[in-house]
Amino acid sequence: MCQRSPRPAGRRWRLRARARSVRHYQHAQQILERLRRLGIDYDDVVQRLEDEGVAAFEASWDRLRAQLATTLRATDRGAGHGR
């Protein structure tokens, strides 16, 4: 019984994977082009999402800090460490 070398199968797999990657890339480029034709700028969308995400994170962080400060002050007063 003849065994095949794993190398050719690995090479075929890599070639198929590369072909799939190229197809996915081409499809993504087509979608971006369609969006551009509709007047939607991908870079603007990404920037807006990033800006809104950062603003939402900052607001949440500020609320958390305020809640922690309040809790720590209350804990200090309750333990007799108030000023």
Side-chain angles (χ1 to χ4, degrees):
M1 187 164 169
C2 179
Q3 284 190 335
R4 279 201 232 176
S5 166
R7 187 176 179 142
R11 183 169 188 269
R12 281 193 301 272
W13 181 87
R14 284 192 304 277
L15 290 173
R16 284 194 304 268
R18 179 179 289 164
R20 279 192 306 272
S21 294
V22 168
R23 283 194 309 272
H24 290 304
Y25 176 80
Q26 290 169 340
H27 182 69
Q29 291 301 313
Q30 291 169 354
I31 291 171
L32 290 173
E33 177 59 26
R34 287 169 62 192
L35 289 172
R36 187 190 63 74
R37 279 189 259 131
L38 291 170
I40 300 170
D41 185 303
Y42 179 78
D43 291 333
D44 289 344
V45 170
V46 170
Q47 188 63 56
R48 182 175 178 175
L49 289 172
E50 181 180 340
D51 293 345
E52 290 176 1
V54 168
F57 178 83
E58 287 176 344
S60 294
W61 181 255
D62 290 342
R63 282 193 303 275
L64 176 62
R65 284 185 8 188
Q67 289 171 350
L68 287 173
T70 300
T71 301
L72 288 173
R73 281 193 298 274
T75 302
D76 283 348
R77 281 194 301 271
H81 296 227
R83 293 180 189 154

